[in-house]
Amino acid sequence: MLTGMQIAVIGGDARQLEVVRKLTELDAKLLLVGFEQLDHAFTGAVKEKMEDINFNELDSVILPVRGTDTNGKVETIFSSEEVVLSEEMIKKTPAHCIFYSGISNDYLDGIFKKADRKLELLFERDDVAIYNSIPTVEGAIMMAIQHTDFTIHGSNVSVLGLGRVGMSVARSFQALGAKVKVGARKSEDIARICEMALTPFHLNDIAAEMKNVDICINTIPFPIITAKVIANMPVHTLIIDLASKPGGTDFRYAEKRGIKALLAPSLPGIVAPKTAGQILANALGLLIQGEFMKRKGKKI
Ligand code: NAP
């Protein structure tokens, strides 16, 4: 339980409501900034303005999945007010106060370094990334169905990368009856692809491997689907690029060749905001309880 803890939740979208629900269930006292247009009230949570927050009384601060923009502005879809997180605010918090966000950027890295506080990035955690791969795959399947006139079953699907998302994508398309090939660069990943009864190829051979691909799903955040690779694809190929912006595809050349290439970011928040919020809420519940117990010198 988080009885006695004071946590500020600053901005965010529908996913943050699951976080608020979870933390109020755990009995934390919550201050909600950027939620004044939200009709729903949560017992134990008070809506506040940023200027009324006493940062020196906070034990934790939860930022939206994207953190802030590169000027410190926090996304607030339940508010029309501008909310900005500054170095001065962070410096006012007690030394034990931990901030949580999904990802970071240069602005956040800079102010947290100067303020000497910890910013914990949820999307860098394996557990969160693996849980999150579930709605990501469902989004990729949705896109494959929407943008093709053939079934996934029986089609040739190439997945690039065998990380946390790539593995889930490959397994799910295999389960739907696709003939799945996976491209990777490490010998242990090639071995794992074989073990999964999928067809492996080394990324050095990517161009040659694209000759009969129907759907190519990229999870590698690196320019991997180059013009040379696209030149070898049949013209009906659908590219679904799941890698973080700007993706790994030469979109200009794909368009020139008449190949449909879609950059598909943030699928969990689009196809399953409630589940995506619960994934974050569960991770945050465990992390904050762990920190709370550590401060009290107790074992979890
Ligand atoms: P991950 O576990 O780190 O996997 C990344 C994969 O890319 C690994 O197989 C890695 O191989 C490979 N890779 C990285 N750089 C490479 C390079 N230069 N050349 C060849 N291979 C390279 O990451 P993840 O959690 O699966 O996420 C993958 C991407 O999807 C990220 O960009 C993430 O932000 C994004 N994502 C998107 C969504 C969405 O909704 N679209 C949802 C979740 C995640 P090695 O192990 O050999 O480095």
Side-chain angles (χ1 to χ4, degrees):
M1 295 298 284
L2 297 173
T3 311
M5 270 201 103
Q6 183 147 233
I7 302 174
V9 179
I10 302 179
D13 54 24
R15 287 174 280 188
Q16 221 65 327
L17 303 183
E18 295 302 320
V19 171
V20 172
R21 193 166 288 127
K22 178 85 185 180
L23 297 180
T24 51
E25 267 170 30
L26 290 170
D27 203 27
K29 184 181 171 201
L30 294 194
L31 306 172
L32 308 182
V33 179
F35 289 88
E36 77 270 5
Q37 288 170 2
L38 181 72
D39 288 337
H40 192 86
F42 293 91
T43 314
V46 185
K47 292 175 192 165
E48 292 276 15
K49 287 190 181 308
M50 194 69 152
E51 58 267 29
D52 296 331
I53 297 284
N54 283 329
F55 279 86
N56 55 358
E57 292 176 359
L58 297 178
D59 297 299
S60 289
V61 177
I62 297 168
L63 300 172
V65 161
R66 285 176 196 279
T68 64
D69 70 10
T70 47
N71 298 312
K73 196 173 161 214
V74 181
E75 181 192 45
T76 52
I77 67 155
F78 299 111
S79 168
S80 49
E81 278 177 39
E82 186 168 282
V83 175
V84 174
L85 181 75
S86 68
E87 184 189 329
E88 287 65 41
M89 293 167 182
I90 303 171
K91 273 184 177 155
K92 282 185 198 155
T93 59
H96 70 259
C97 180
I98 298 182
F99 288 67
Y100 298 89
S101 167
I103 55 173
S104 188
N105 56 36
D106 288 347
Y107 174 84
L108 284 174
D109 289 346
I111 59 173
F112 274 91
K113 196 168 175 207
K114 284 191 209 149
D116 194 24
R117 291 290 178 279
K118 187 171 168 194
L119 175 64
E120 177 95 27
L121 301 179
L122 297 174
F123 283 0
E124 285 191 355
R125 294 177 56 86
D126 276 341
D127 54 357
V128 173
I130 292 169
Y131 284 126
N132 228 12
S133 74
I134 301 167
T136 306
V137 168
E138 291 193 11
I141 293 169
M142 175 190 78
M143 294 188 77
I145 293 170
Q146 277 175 347
H147 293 278
T148 57
D149 56 5
F150 49 85
T151 56
I152 293 172
H153 186 279
S155 62
N156 292 311
V157 174
S158 282
V159 178
L160 306 179
L162 192 75
R164 296 159 302 188
V165 175
M167 188 174 288
S168 303
V169 169
R171 192 185 288 121
S172 301
F173 276 78
Q174 178 190 39
L176 287 172
K179 289 171 257 169
V180 179
K181 278 186 187 178
V182 185
R185 60 180 173 176
K186 288 184 186 150
S187 61
E188 61 265 38
D189 284 347
I190 299 285
R192 178 61 68 195
I193 295 161
C194 279
E195 178 276 324
M196 291 169 74
L198 301 166
T199 307
F201 66 88
H202 196 283
L203 285 170
N204 288 343
D205 304 323
I206 181 172
E209 291 291 340
M210 291 295 140
K211 289 229 160 63
N212 64 352
V213 63
D214 298 311
I215 303 172
C216 179
I217 303 173
N218 178 45
T219 72
I220 299 177
F222 179 80
I224 191 88
I225 309 182
T226 58
K228 188 177 165 204
V229 174
I230 295 168
N232 272 7
M233 291 175 171
V235 79
H236 71 266
T237 304
L238 170 69
I239 300 171
I240 302 174
D241 198 335
L242 300 178
S244 49
K245 280 180 189 167
T249 306
D250 185 337
F251 289 98
R252 182 203 63 83
Y253 187 73
E255 190 178 0
K256 191 172 174 191
R257 259 216 79 202
I259 286 183
K260 195 183 269 184
L262 307 166
L263 185 61
S266 310
L267 288 174
I270 295 168
V271 299
K274 193 173 176 73
T275 307
Q278 285 166 345
I279 291 167
L280 295 172
N282 290 339
L284 278 166
L286 289 172
L287 280 169
I288 298 175
Q289 283 186 93
E291 284 300 328
F292 192 39
M293 301 301 269
K294 216 164 44 182
R295 265 183 35 230
K296 287 166 121 187
K298 290 186 185 168
K299 282 194 179 157
I300 307 166

